[in-house]
Amino acid sequence: MMGGHGPGDDPHTGVQIAHVEQSPVRQVWQRVVLAAFFLALTVFIVWLDRDSYRDGDEVGI
């Protein structure tokens, strides 16, 4: 049966993995924590490379 939807044509087995939906507050909280982590990581990388920054007016900081 070409392109049909008979009982043997479905490639899915019908097995589903249980998925518990998190509360919206928890989802937002996870995103805030993840954003804070990446912000801290970026600040740390900039801090490590702080000696390579130069002021554009040649006077210095």
Side-chain angles (χ1 to χ4, degrees):
M1 195 177 210
M2 297 285 293
H5 293 291
D9 294 337
D10 190 3
H12 301 296
T13 61
V15 176
Q16 295 179 353
I17 297 173
H19 177 74
V20 177
E21 192 69 31
Q22 296 177 343
S23 73
V25 173
R26 185 173 179 137
Q27 290 177 2
V28 170
W29 181 243
Q30 283 181 334
R31 290 179 181 150
V32 167
V33 169
L34 189 63
F37 169 76
F38 281 114
L39 178 63
L41 179 65
T42 302
V43 168
F44 180 69
I45 291 170
V46 169
W47 179 79
L48 286 177
D49 197 34
R50 67 190 179 278
D51 292 334
S52 65
Y53 287 106
R54 301 285 180 253
D55 195 6
D57 64 2
E58 300 296 329
V59 175
I61 299 175

